[in-house]
Amino acid sequence: LWKLIPVDEVIPQGNNLSNSSSIAVGGIVVRNDLRVAASAYIDNAIVTSGSLTVQARENATLKAVADSVASSSGGSAYGTGDSIAIGGIISTNLVQSSAEAYIQNSVVTTTATGNLLVDAANTSEVTATTLSLASSGDKAIGATVAFNTLGYASQDILTRAIDALLGPPIADALLDPPIADALGLENPAKTHAYIVDSTITVGGDLTVIADNRAQLNATIGNEASSAASALVNAGGRAVSALLVSNRVSSSAQAYIDSTTTTNLTVGVT
């Protein structure tokens, strides 16, 4: 029996004989905002224990993937007709976090060889992947705007764009003070461990640790491709633009202040 075989078709596939215009538009706007805090403390208390641990651990994780594709296939074998693809992404990923462990305004005693540990750790992580693709047989336009921050307060898109284009020093010098203040509005991913205004008697060791390992991992991709195909008058254009800002602010503090300590070995890290 006869059957259709693609390679034997009279009219070749992939080239239109008439003007066959096409347009594809794809866009994504994403905002991920994560705000977390962990705290452990003894405040205004009298505590007696064999061994004692005051520990706060913050391990917030934000994983965001934004992927946009716009593809257009049109035109004709004679180079007439339009094929336009426009794609873009605006992505904002923000994490504000803190970990705090402390003893204040308290009397703490550990018996025998008991140890006292005050420990704060912050391992907050932002992993952001932002990808945009626009492909066409004629005109392709792709744009990606991505702002990833760890330890900064929320800001509007315009402020972030100015900050990314000019950089904080130039932006602060050129813009009015209120806007300049917004550009530098830090809220560090902090890790604090401390003992203040307390009386501590420990039979073993006293250790105060603040460990900050906050990190930001960002992958950004923007591609615009034009693959013109026609028997005559074939032509194509591709335009791509990318604006990205990745900023991290963090702090770690471990200390003992205004505190009386008795019979102990002290370690502050």
Side-chain angles (χ1 to χ4, degrees), residues 4-266:
L4 180 67
I5 300 177
V7 295
D8 292 335
E9 291 191 23
V10 176
I11 301 176
Q13 298 299 300
N15 288 312
N16 300 313
L17 296 181
S18 61
N19 295 348
S20 300
S21 296
S22 65
I23 182 169
V25 178
I28 298 176
V29 178
V30 181
R31 175 182 171 85
N32 297 304
D33 191 337
L34 179 61
R35 309 183 190 197
V36 290
S39 62
Y41 57 88
I42 297 173
D43 187 9
N44 195 27
I46 299 175
V47 179
T48 300
S49 175
S51 290
L52 180 63
T53 297
V54 181
Q55 187 175 69
R57 296 194 173 275
E58 178 54 66
N59 58 358
T61 300
L62 172 60
K63 296 183 178 180
V65 177
D67 192 349
S68 172
V69 177
S71 178
S72 172
S73 178
S76 73
Y78 305 105
T80 57
D82 294 322
S83 178
I84 301 173
I86 302 173
I89 293 180
I90 298 176
S91 175
T92 299
N93 298 301
L94 177 150
V95 171
Q96 298 180 72
S97 65
S98 66
E100 193 171 34
Y102 63 89
I103 298 173
Q104 68 178 11
N105 302 317
S106 298
V107 177
V108 176
T109 303
T110 64
T111 59
T113 59
N115 300 321
L116 173 60
L117 171 64
V118 180
D119 178 22
N122 189 338
T123 58
S124 299
E125 179 180 354
V126 179
T127 301
T129 301
T130 307
L131 304 173
S132 176
L133 169 64
S135 63
S136 169
D138 187 5
K139 302 178 183 67
I141 301 172
T144 298
V145 178
F147 304 117
N148 301 304
T149 60
L150 176 59
Y152 281 85
S154 179
Q155 300 170 11
D156 62 86
I157 294 295
L158 177 60
T159 301
R160 288 174 178 263
I162 294 173
D163 187 25
L165 286 170
L166 302 180
I170 299 177
D172 289 347
L174 295 180
L175 301 177
D176 291 334
I179 301 179
D181 290 344
L183 290 175
L185 190 56
E186 294 186 45
N187 183 23
K190 67 179 182 179
T191 307
H192 293 173
Y194 57 89
I195 301 174
V196 296
D197 300 324
S198 299
T199 299
I200 307 297
T201 303
V202 179
D205 297 333
L206 169 61
T207 305
V208 181
I209 301 175
D211 183 13
N212 193 324
R213 302 186 185 184
Q215 60 179 317
L216 187 154
N217 306 302
T219 301
I220 313 295
N222 183 49
E223 181 180 349
S225 64
S226 174
S229 176
L231 299 179
V232 293
N233 300 322
R237 280 170 281 181
V239 178
S240 177
L242 184 67
L243 178 62
V244 179
S245 176
N246 298 308
R247 302 185 68 177
V248 176
S249 176
S250 62
S251 68
Q253 293 183 353
Y255 59 91
I256 299 173
D257 187 27
S258 300
T259 295
T260 301
T261 57
T262 304
N263 299 329
L264 52 83
T265 301
V266 178

